[in-house]
Amino acid sequence: MSQGSFCGPGYWNIQYNSLVNLNYAKWTRAIAFADDLLITVKAVTVAEVENFTNMEMSKITQWSKENKLPFNDQKSKVMPISRGRKERKEMDIYLNNNHHEQVDKIKYLGIIIGSKFTFNEHIKYIKDRCTKLINALSKSARISWGLRHEALKTIYSSAILPQLLYAAPVWIESINKECNRTKYVRVQRLISLRIAKAYRTMSHKALCILTGITPINIKAQEVVTQYTITTGRCIQKYQIDKAENPRNWLHPADIVSVNDTKDEGEEHLWNVFMDGSKSKQGVGSGVAIFTGKVLVEQLKFKLDNRCSNNQAEQLAIVKALEVIEMQQVKNNEPGTAVIYTDSKITLDSIRSAKNHDHLVEEIRKRAVTLNKKNWKIEFKWVIAHVGIYGNETAG
């Protein structure tokens, strides 16, 4: 099969899956990523690890011969991981009758792991790599001339910071050590001096304030916290507007009616206006619900300051649909509710088949549920701040 073909990854996964699912012992775990294979073996002593690993290597050797897929002996390494043991660390591990080199550190998926499961070498490697990049950049960023601070800050946020924070949830404990934290601080200080066009005598804290850059240890902790929350690895104190799991998506046939043309003022049973805004005072949203022209309910909500204006608008729609869902229609007659919003981005998000954020999916689900309860839900756009009573009341 030619490299780069559409079917290639699928066929490769089918074949490679048999390797991952070999009849390994209970103390062995196989982890595969693309064409990289990591075998972990757990035992009490080094001698046991050596024996158990060679047993598993014989199974992999047999699989390799049957599938005619040889492994690269030059890239295959062995690393024992233990803490505080004084017994021998040397092991003889064989694959295809070839002895594997034993190392005290290994690089896997861009992370350097030490033999005591530490990440000091990884932090040092990233520090040296970023320092070389910044020193090369210094030729174009002097104090009195060169790249402006806006360009340098963009380079920092898009080229240097991603390298510093790569796989932060894995090595975050190591950054708590003073020696490792100092290495990262030095890197950040180097680029901060270029951004601020300052002299070396300025302190790191002052540079962070002048440049508006978050200290690297706090930024790393922020990334880890965001990761643990969005992946559900901790108890969530806040609701996060993240992408929904595909299994929770609505069926494509459940289409929500969206009309982004200006409303012409038709009469409906329920008219719902909403407004979301973000300012220096914070982020908030409001809902005004009318029966005909009579205001029957008004709601206001406060969001976290990190939320966007569009999220405020979408939350208002969700809350409005919750109120409509609780209403009782006389004699089970069809009900009509029109949701008016001045945000075309929100309407485009609801209509887009590629947007599956939590709030957007929640709007679709509630609208479909109401449709099944004999309600007709429509979304329409109105011009903001032109004196429309409902829109001004919601805001």
Side-chain angles (χ1 to χ4, degrees), residues 47-198:
E48 285 185 354
V49 170
E50 186 177 29
N51 292 333
F52 292 163
T53 304
N54 280 316
M55 290 169 56
E56 308 299 6
M57 291 297 105
S58 64
K59 298 175 185 177
I60 295 174
T61 299
Q62 183 64 28
W63 180 92
S64 175
K65 292 178 180 178
E66 292 176 354
N67 291 273
K68 299 180 180 180
L69 285 174
F71 287 90
N72 190 332
D73 297 321
Q74 301 298 323
K75 293 184 177 180
S76 301
K77 309 293 181 183
V78 176
M79 184 182 73
I81 298 178
S82 64
R83 294 183 178 179
R85 290 189 174 273
K86 295 183 180 180
E87 60 181 318
R88 70 179 180 90
K89 298 291 180 66
E90 294 75 19
M91 295 186 298
D92 294 318
I93 307 298
Y94 296 88
L95 178 66
N96 290 325
N97 296 322
N98 294 320
H99 186 269
H100 276 192
E101 178 186 358
Q102 184 171 326
V103 296
D104 57 0
K105 60 184 178 182
I106 193 168
K107 189 175 184 180
Y108 183 68
L109 301 182
I111 307 171
I112 300 176
I113 307 171
S115 59
K116 292 188 176 181
F117 211 73
T118 58
F119 301 93
N120 300 337
E121 288 293 332
H122 175 77
I123 292 175
K124 181 179 180 299
Y125 169 77
I126 295 298
K127 186 265 294 184
D128 294 340
R129 185 174 178 178
C130 291
T131 300
K132 289 181 181 178
L133 177 60
I134 295 171
N135 289 336
L137 189 65
S138 299
K139 299 177 182 178
S140 304
R142 299 295 183 181
I143 292 179
S144 57
W145 57 270
L147 294 173
R148 294 177 59 83
H149 69 275
E150 294 92 345
L152 291 171
K153 197 169 182 179
T154 300
I155 293 172
Y156 167 75
S157 59
S158 59
I160 298 173
L161 190 60
Q163 293 189 53
L164 293 174
L165 299 179
Y166 175 73
V170 176
W171 51 257
I172 188 62
E173 296 295 332
S174 298
I175 205 70
N176 294 330
K177 295 181 180 179
E178 183 65 27
C179 59
N180 291 329
R181 184 167 61 251
T182 300
K183 293 174 184 176
Y184 267 26
V185 168
R186 286 174 180 170
V187 173
Q188 192 178 50
R189 175 178 167 77
L190 275 177
I191 189 64
S192 296
L193 284 169
R194 273 65 179 180
I195 295 173
K197 305 289 185 180

Side-chain angles (χ1 to χ4, degrees), residues 169 223-234 236 240 242:
V223 170
V224 173
T225 302
Q226 183 179 8
Y227 171 79
T228 54
I229 290 175
T230 54
T231 55
R233 297 172 184 264
C234 69
Q236 297 186 14
I240 307 297
K242 60 180 180 179

